[in-house]
Amino acid sequence: MYRVLLCTQYISGLSILCGITGNMSRPSDRRSRKRLAMRESISEIATQLFNERGFDHVTVDEIAEAADVGRMTVFNHFPRKEDMFFDRDEEIREILRKTIRQRDTRLSPIEALRLLFHRLVAEQSPYVEFSAASQRFVETIEGSETLKARARAIRDEIAQFVAMTLSEGAGREPTDPAAHLAGNLLLAMWTVARIEAHRAYLQSRHKEEATAVFLAIVDTGTIGIIAAMAGTPYA
């Protein structure tokens, strides 16, 4: 039931992908701000419908009607229906990129990413929220083969993105095997941390306990990854 990835809740409407939105840059011109507001509104309405009725039981026409826009307006913002559910993918990538590229040079990229998750927890970011709301999001994914397939694809895409960002920052080729090993190890560790944190929440219904499980796995996993990547510029 828990085969979800880093991108679980609020890669869409709740913005866990929401608490972090405030840290993201907003368009300066009015037209771009209006377009972004429309996109966010469609996504939030779609996600609410998906969570209430199941992804496969909601049509694009129903989303358009609920958002009071035309069908083509929806497709102008979201080429695929599942994009409305996982609409914070780019934000996640930007956060990871900035963490790696703008870190204190005394920190390794892998350690900087560990500290990122501690910061997100301290900020009570929905990126690391474990609650009844986030569990509904997970259950919506698990109820749809389309969403599960897209979740797996996003996980692989982010692993590739992390690998390329690591290699670029180290001045190495994008195909650097060490960077790709690090990227995949990091995504595997983050995935396990989220799965176990959601499981802990289901058992206790205490956000604090679930968050502690999440951070413990991130910390332990980071130690292992740093040991595995010893001798590379990523550790």
Side-chain angles (χ1 to χ4, degrees), residues 116-181:
L116 165 67
F117 284 100
H118 278 266
R119 177 172 65 82
L120 294 181
V121 166
E123 294 174 354
Q124 298 185 343
S125 166
Y127 275 114
V128 287
E129 178 180 350
F130 306 102
S131 65
S134 66
Q135 188 56 38
R136 283 196 299 273
F137 195 92
V138 172
E139 291 169 355
T140 300
I141 296 173
E142 287 300 314
S144 168
E145 292 301 321
T146 299
L147 289 181
K148 285 193 286 188
R150 182 59 189 144
R152 290 190 292 269
I154 290 174
R155 181 203 176 283
D156 292 343
E157 290 166 8
I158 292 179
Q160 176 81 358
F161 175 81
V162 170
M164 294 185 69
T165 304
L166 287 170
S167 61
E168 179 183 323
R172 292 192 172 187
E173 293 296 322
T175 55
D176 178 27
H180 285 270
L181 176 58

Side-chain angles (χ1 to χ4, degrees), residues 2-234:
Y2 307 101
R3 295 187 304 273
V4 218
L5 52 159
L6 173 66
C7 313
T8 185
Q9 154 126 6
Y10 316 114
I11 290 185
S12 73
L14 303 189
S15 313
I16 104 189
L17 266 178
C18 322
I20 258 206
T21 306
N23 294 332
M24 301 301 292
S25 59
R26 308 293 287 184
S28 58
D29 62 289
R30 183 180 180 185
R31 182 175 181 180
S32 295
R33 289 198 305 272
K34 288 180 67 176
R35 178 175 176 80
L36 178 60
M38 174 62 73
R39 175 184 170 86
E40 291 176 345
S41 175
I42 293 171
S43 171
E44 289 171 4
I45 289 169
T47 299
Q48 182 177 354
L49 291 174
F50 296 151
N51 286 340
E52 290 173 353
R53 294 162 49 191
F55 179 82
D56 297 326
H57 300 293
V58 178
T59 68
V60 173
D61 286 334
E62 289 171 329
I63 294 168
E65 181 178 356
D68 196 23
V69 299
R71 176 185 176 89
M72 289 311 300
T73 298
V74 174
F75 282 119
N76 285 339
H77 289 278
F78 301 99
R80 297 174 297 188
K81 193 172 93 170
E82 54 266 40
D83 292 337
M84 286 179 263
F85 194 78
F86 294 120
D87 75 323
R88 301 291 185 180
D89 183 20
E90 290 301 319
E91 288 187 15
I92 291 176
R93 297 175 194 228
E94 180 63 12
I95 290 166
L96 295 174
R97 186 192 69 80
K98 284 185 175 180
T99 298
I100 294 170
R101 297 301 301 277
Q102 299 179 11
R103 72 186 190 281
D104 186 320
T105 55
R106 292 172 294 181
L107 292 175
S108 71
I110 294 173
E111 175 64 9
L113 290 169
R114 183 187 73 84
L115 294 177
L116 165 67
F117 284 100
H118 278 266
R119 177 172 65 82
L120 294 181
V121 166
E123 294 174 354
Q124 298 185 343
S125 166
Y127 275 114
V128 287
E129 178 180 350
F130 306 102
S131 65
S134 66
Q135 188 56 38
R136 283 196 299 273
F137 195 92
V138 172
E139 291 169 355
T140 300
I141 296 173
E142 287 300 314
S144 168
E145 292 301 321
T146 299
L147 289 181
K148 285 193 286 188
R150 182 59 189 144
R152 290 190 292 269
I154 290 174
R155 181 203 176 283
D156 292 343
E157 290 166 8
I158 292 179
Q160 176 81 358
F161 175 81
V162 170
M164 294 185 69
T165 304
L166 287 170
S167 61
E168 179 183 323
R172 292 192 172 187
E173 293 296 322
T175 55
D176 178 27
H180 285 270
L181 176 58
N184 280 280
L185 288 173
L186 286 165
L187 263 293
M189 181 259 288
W190 295 335
T191 300
V192 171
R194 290 200 63 83
I195 289 171
E196 294 304 322
H198 276 292
R199 182 174 291 139
Y201 175 77
L202 281 178
Q203 292 174 347
S204 70
R205 296 295 174 178
H206 291 144
K207 296 181 181 181
E208 295 78 9
E209 289 184 22
T211 300
V213 168
F214 176 80
L215 289 179
I217 293 174
V218 167
D219 289 344
T220 301
T222 298
I223 292 171
I225 295 173
I226 287 176
M229 302 312 300
T232 73
Y234 315 122

